[in-house]
Structure formats: C-alpha cells, structure tokens
Amino acid sequence: MTKPVVKVCETCGRFRRYHAADQYCIICGYDTLAAACTCGRDLEYALDEGEEGGLHCPNCGRDWRSAALGG
C-alpha cells in the first residue's frame, strides 16, 4: 500500500489524506485535488489546522480557503 499524501480540493477548500492516484474530492466530488501549493510547498501542515477560517501557505501566503470560495 502506498503512503497517503495530503491533498486539497481547490473547489471546496478541504484538506484530507488521499492515495497519490486519487483525483476526486470525497466531500464535493470535483476532480480538483492538488497535492502541493502552486509554489511547490507540500500540504502536510494543513491537517493540524481546524476547518474554520482562512488557511495560508507558510511559504507563499496563498489563502486556500479564500481561493476555494472564489476570492
């Protein structure tokens, strides 16, 4: 079995562990999973954060939750 990786759904902004080959979000069903930030930073840090409020990449500052809501 492969080691799970943290991915974020760029549609709903939820972070979860997935298999590397998974493409679809388990929450909203869209095929917009990303395994890393656009700057290349892995997303492991995001699982320690709660589901409420913004969540920014510690490398480039991208706000994943705002981006998912179209902001």
Side-chain angles (χ1 to χ4, degrees):
M1 180 178 259
T2 62
K3 179 182 175 193
V5 295
V6 177
K7 293 187 178 188
V8 64
C9 177
E10 295 192 55
T11 301
C12 71
R14 300 286 175 81
F15 291 82
R16 298 284 186 273
R17 291 194 191 282
Y18 290 93
H19 289 281
D22 289 345
Q23 299 176 33
Y24 294 90
C25 176
I26 62 171
I27 303 297
C28 70
Y30 283 92
D31 63 344
T32 55
L33 289 180
C37 184
T38 51
C39 70
R41 173 73 153 83
D42 70 60
L43 302 173
E44 189 69 33
Y45 69 89
L47 289 186
D48 295 333
E49 301 299 322
E51 292 288 335
E52 301 300 319
L55 185 60
H56 298 82
C57 174
N59 188 45
C60 71
R62 178 181 180 175
D63 183 351
W64 283 99
R65 301 255 166 73
S66 177
L69 299 173

